[in-house]
Amino acid sequence: MSHDLTSVSPLTEEQVLSALQARYEQGDIYTTAGFTLIAMNPCRSIPEIYSDDRISSYSEDKYDELPPHIFAVAEKALGNMNRNLQPVNQSIVVSGESGAGKTWTARNLMRYLTATTSKLSKRRESLALVSSIEQQVLDSNPILEAFGNAVTVHNDNSSRFGKYIQLQLNRCGKIVGASIRTYLLEKVRVVKQGPEERSYHIFYQMLAGLPQTDTKALGLDNTAMMMYNQTRTPDGALYSATTAALTRVGFTSNVQKNIFTLLAAIVHLNSIKFEQSVPAHRPSRCTPVHRT
């Protein structure tokens, strides 16, 4: 079966969906439609198609001979930029509904680009060897996910914000700079979540990973623990990954301490209860009471 939907005939919605289903059932989660890559979430882990060997195969100037893949999209963008005498900017747009796999796709795009650009000058260089800037680009992912992703009913790592990532490359194809802009953060999630949903990962990571002496100093007692006790992700291990990434991108231990102090303050604010102190027919005025 063709991997390009433009070859489907007749090109109807029914035929397109049938072709996608057939490819999905045989384990092909990527399908092209002209210049567009369609990715179908397999809802299971398939690490073999994102391995270092797979990165190498798509970076050897034969991506167009291989099956559709997000790595092929990244390689084509790099090729379009590098084959011209003058720099030509390239954009990759990752879009889809909640749970479609946008976060995972963006993460692997970044991984491919940093691994590939790091070895352009020496084709035999190890994929694990990346520059300081490239490592910081990779480290931005766990930080952004900790502070901007949350558990929803259908997705344990749902991005609740949009992001625009810009990588700057020199004429040799090496990453020399990067910037990340975030927008439309779902701020209301900090104070209110739907049934079976969570606030942002960082609160649960903090409560699961902070040393007991720190939780005691911040006043994070059992009440706070119970309020944020919804274990669907390995929060303790993710806390370690987040703090390690913060350290590598330049956040000192004092800055990190201030960050978690502020997060603890938000946890305390969320536990404040209010009661009405005047009759219902008079203008409302609320008085805070002790935490419960």
Side-chain angles (χ1 to χ4, degrees), residues 35-199:
F35 292 109
T36 303
L37 179 71
I38 299 174
M40 293 172 286
N41 191 340
C43 298
R44 59 185 176 87
S45 177
I46 42 176
E48 62 273 11
I49 71 171
Y50 302 102
S51 64
D52 286 352
D53 289 339
R54 191 63 63 96
I55 289 178
S56 295
S57 65
Y58 278 89
S59 63
E60 294 174 353
D61 300 324
K62 57 181 181 179
Y63 65 88
D64 54 343
E65 301 174 6
L66 297 172
H69 201 289
I70 191 60
F71 292 163
V73 174
E75 182 60 33
K76 185 174 182 179
L78 283 175
N80 290 342
M81 184 168 52
N82 293 329
R83 71 169 55 100
N84 295 279
L85 293 177
Q86 296 296 325
V88 178
N89 293 336
Q90 300 290 306
S91 296
I92 301 174
V93 179
V94 181
S95 64
E97 62 182 16
S98 179
K102 299 184 295 299
T103 297
W104 176 254
T105 297
R107 187 189 304 173
N108 280 287
L109 272 172
M110 299 282 282
R111 178 168 163 261
Y112 182 90
L113 291 170
T114 54
T116 303
T117 57
S118 71
K119 67 187 187 71
L120 282 176
S121 58
K122 296 180 180 180
R123 299 298 292 182
R124 296 181 180 179
E125 191 174 354
S126 171
L127 286 176
L129 182 59
V130 295
S131 70
S132 175
I133 293 177
E134 290 160 340
Q135 184 60 55
Q136 289 185 38
V137 170
L138 290 176
D139 284 330
S140 69
N141 282 319
I143 298 172
L144 288 173
E145 290 180 21
F147 286 86
N149 288 25
V151 170
T152 62
V153 174
H154 301 294
N155 187 356
D156 283 354
N157 193 31
S158 178
S159 295
R160 311 313 300 172
F161 69 106
K163 59 178 176 281
Y164 176 77
I165 303 172
Q166 185 179 62
L167 303 179
Q168 293 94 34
L169 281 70
N170 62 15
R171 290 185 178 274
C172 296
K174 298 278 291 183
I175 295 178
V176 295
S179 65
I180 301 175
R181 304 175 190 174
T182 60
Y183 53 92
L184 298 178
L185 178 68
E186 187 186 24
K187 297 177 182 178
V188 69
R189 181 170 290 271
V190 174
V191 296
K192 184 176 178 58
Q193 305 88 42
E196 300 184 24
E197 296 197 352
R198 300 202 321 181
S199 183

Side-chain angles (χ1 to χ4, degrees), residues 215-291:
T215 57
K216 184 177 181 180
L218 293 172
L220 299 174
D221 54 17
N222 292 333
T223 301
M225 299 291 188
M226 292 176 60
M227 289 179 61
Y228 287 84
N229 185 21
Q230 299 181 41
T231 303
R232 285 172 58 177
T233 57
D235 296 311
L238 291 173
Y239 167 83
S240 298
T242 300
T243 53
L246 286 168
T247 299
R248 286 193 293 267
V249 300
F251 288 86
T252 65
S253 58
N254 284 335
V255 172
Q256 291 186 45
K257 181 179 179 180
N258 290 337
I259 289 173
F260 288 111
T261 299
L262 179 58
L263 292 172
I266 294 174
V267 171
H268 289 304
L269 286 173
N270 273 338
S271 64
I272 292 177
K273 302 296 183 181
F274 291 86
E275 65 179 10
Q276 190 169 339
S277 60
V278 294
H281 66 276
R282 297 179 61 184
S284 178
R285 184 173 63 185
C286 293
T287 301
V289 297
H290 292 294
R291 291 190 298 118

